[in-house]
Amino acid sequence: MPRSQEEIRKDINYDESKVPVFKLPSPLERPDGGRVTTAYEWVNRRRGEVLDFYKKEVYGQLPPRPDRIRFETLSVRDNALGNTAIRKEIRIHFEMNSARSHSFVMLLYIPKNAKLPPPVFLGLNFKGNHAATDEPDVMMTGRNIAGELLEPDGRGNQVHRWQFRETIQCGYASATACYHDIYPDFCSEEGWHRSVYGLFYPEEPAESIHKHASSISAWAWGLSRMLDCLENEPSVDASKAVVHGHSRLGKTALWAGATDPRFRLVISNDSGCGGAALFKRCFGENLEAILALAPYWFVSDLQRYINNEAALPFDQHWLISLIAPRPVCIASATGDLWADPKGEFLSGVYASEVYRLFGAEGLGTETMPPPDQPVTGEISYHLRTGKHDQTREDWLHYWDLAGRLFGR
Ligand code: GCU
């Protein structure tokens, strides 16, 4: 009998002295016992094995390519955000020869007087596009399984997470869509068929889809389709794309960065268990807790490691390694022990050996920095004072990192 969430929460460990001693498998160790020693071997052989492993054991396969993708511009406003931005709403349509279809709406802000097409931040939102912005005429998005709007009264209530005005002032474009419109995140069996997976596996029982797919893969796929759309948008430079996400959407941003090399900078904001944090530390949220909350975030077979993290043949530093040598930023918050800040930091430490193959440093330190003192490298880390959230303080680092990468 699976335990209830309340029972599981009672046993969560927040005591560093009770973190088990664990052995971390290196992503560089090949299944035949050899060790990868060059970037060439990593890129041409081992990286593919690690990626396939993740697709099989953790997040599942990404949805396939639909028969047609179509971008429909719903609105354009050239005096948005106090006349500093051009705002577009674009519906991304997925259509199958079977006549099945799915779509979601992307909100895009572009700095108005940019001399060159600017880099672009992409991220999914929790509560609808209208909640991410303070502009009253943005279309409401974000629907539940029944197709009803989730947050009809939520206009503007997530503005602090998005910081569109300052992102525009810094010279970046920024795009978002609601994650529920790609895979509705409601702990419902129906979620599978109401999501983009319904296009491809309409007859397959949910339980069987769950063996090879997950909502995190659906969301990551959605981010890549947003980038496809931006590649058709001459007013942004889609070759300079930054993917970011908070919490479960931070897990998603890491997986999107791992599966789609077009994302040049990958930002995990408080992604925690199943994101940047190491499973084997069993500090804060653990496998039992996360799989009781939302089993469909991962493939069903991950359940066999519940209360047996020691037997996992990998850990989440492998996920960070899949992004190498591209820059990645791991952010934690002091008040977010549930996400295990130290475990998030350590995955950056242990992924660094893959970055070193490329002549890079990775994180460049094994000492966790004090709060609010960021470490900046190909792998960056910061521990913000405060609670589980994505705030302006986090954004200050993200704008800075994009500036360093794209020379702005
Ligand atoms: C829960 C869950 C986390 C997740 C978070 C979120 O707290 O346990 O794993 O990151 O929700 O997405 O907000």
Side-chain angles (χ1 to χ4, degrees):
M1 234 326 245
R3 300 201 298 161
S4 71
Q5 289 196 49
E6 294 67 46
E7 284 172 310
I8 296 170
R9 286 207 178 222
K10 274 194 249 140
D11 291 341
I12 291 291
N13 176 39
Y14 291 112
D15 181 348
E16 197 57 44
S17 72
K18 296 205 174 111
V19 169
V21 177
F22 56 86
K23 197 175 166 310
L24 271 188
S26 164
L28 298 179
E29 273 158 30
R30 292 195 308 252
D32 65 8
R35 195 176 165 85
V36 171
T37 54
T38 64
Y40 181 87
E41 278 176 277
W42 172 260
V43 168
N44 292 297
R45 184 163 155 202
R46 181 67 185 140
R47 183 182 185 280
E49 289 170 0
V50 172
L51 188 60
D52 286 348
F53 175 89
Y54 261 87
K55 288 182 176 168
K56 193 157 168 281
E57 305 281 341
V58 189
Y59 304 118
Q61 299 286 339
L62 267 69
R65 198 152 253 286
D67 294 325
R68 276 174 307 287
I69 302 188
R70 193 160 57 80
F71 309 122
E72 179 193 5
T73 302
L74 303 176
S75 78
V76 182
R77 196 173 149 172
D78 66 5
N79 61 349
L81 300 179
N83 204 22
T84 62
I86 298 166
R87 188 186 79 207
K88 294 192 176 187
E89 290 167 295
I90 303 171
R91 187 176 284 281
I92 306 182
H93 292 269
F94 309 104
E95 295 162 344
M96 302 299 282
N97 294 337
S98 63
R100 283 196 182 77
S101 65
H102 191 100
S103 69
F104 65 86
V105 177
M106 179 174 84
L107 169 66
L108 169 64
Y109 285 108
I110 308 162
K112 196 164 167 180
N113 295 318
K115 292 197 189 69
L116 290 171
V120 57
F121 281 86
L122 284 91
L124 296 175
N125 65 67
F126 284 85
K127 295 189 184 279
N129 295 349
H130 60 293
T133 176
D134 55 10
E135 296 200 300
D137 54 339
V138 162
M139 193 176 176
M140 292 201 187
T141 67
R143 291 179 186 270
N144 63 19
I145 301 262
E148 298 150 350
L149 271 174
L150 263 175
E151 299 273 340
D153 303 321
R155 267 198 193 283
N157 70 15
Q158 298 287 297
V159 164
H160 72 283
R161 285 215 176 143
W162 292 88
Q163 304 288 333
F164 286 129
R165 288 174 189 270
E166 216 168 330
T167 302
I168 291 292
Q169 275 165 26
C170 294
Y172 301 115
S174 191
T176 186
C178 183
Y179 82 136
H180 289 297
D181 296 341
I182 300 169
Y183 185 111
D185 190 17
F186 298 102
C187 295
S188 156
E189 279 289 285
E190 268 186 83
W192 293 103
H193 292 110
R194 295 274 175 175
S195 75
V196 291
Y197 289 119
L199 286 179
F200 307 105
Y201 316 116
E203 311 301 343
E204 192 175 334
E207 199 186 305
S208 145
I209 305 177
H210 192 189
K211 283 193 186 307
H212 60 81
S214 74
S215 64
I216 288 185
S217 271
W219 298 325
W221 180 92
L223 284 162
S224 288
R225 303 294 74 81
M226 286 163 68
L227 186 52
D228 296 344
C229 177
L230 293 169
E231 285 183 336
N232 283 278
E233 190 58 54
S235 53
V236 304
D237 186 348
S239 74
K240 295 180 177 154
V242 182
V243 65
H244 67 101
H246 171 61
S247 208
R248 72 198 69 176
L249 296 174
K251 312 181 207 301
T252 302
L254 288 172
W255 183 228
T259 51
D260 191 336
R262 293 176 298 169
F263 292 118
R264 300 267 307 276
L265 166 62
V266 180
I267 294 169
S268 146
N269 194 92
D270 305 358
S271 62
C273 182
L278 294 176
F279 285 118
K280 287 176 188 278
R281 276 175 46 80
C282 298
F283 184 104
E285 186 173 30
N286 58 24
L287 258 183
E288 185 184 23
I290 200 166
L291 295 178
L293 178 75
Y296 53 91
W297 289 357
F298 307 89
V299 292
S300 47
D301 263 2
L302 195 61
Q303 293 172 13
R304 68 192 194 278
Y305 294 103
I306 287 176
N307 294 323
N308 194 16
E309 280 88 345
L312 284 167
F314 73 103
D315 213 329
Q316 292 299 80
H317 58 308
W318 287 29
L319 177 62
I320 311 294
S321 308
L322 284 170
I323 299 164
R326 287 168 289 147
V328 57
C329 177
I330 302 171
S332 312
T334 52
D336 189 18
L337 294 185
W338 181 244
D340 186 14
K342 186 166 177 194
E344 297 183 301
F345 171 76
L346 287 176
S347 69
V349 170
Y350 294 115
S352 296
E353 62 178 350
V354 178
Y355 280 76
R356 285 196 289 269
L357 293 178
F358 293 87
E361 266 199 319
L363 195 51
T365 178
E366 296 194 354
T367 309
M368 184 148 168
D372 307 313
Q373 294 193 23
V375 176
T376 304
E378 295 89 15
I379 301 176
S380 301
Y381 177 82
H382 70 265
L383 175 63
R384 171 180 49 75
T385 298
K387 64 181 177 56
H388 182 71
D389 203 352
Q390 181 166 339
T391 68
R392 181 170 179 270
E393 281 68 41
D394 296 306
W395 276 102
L396 290 172
H397 299 300
Y398 307 152
W399 296 321
D400 176 53
L401 291 172
R404 288 169 193 249
L405 179 63
F406 301 128
R408 298 171 72 84

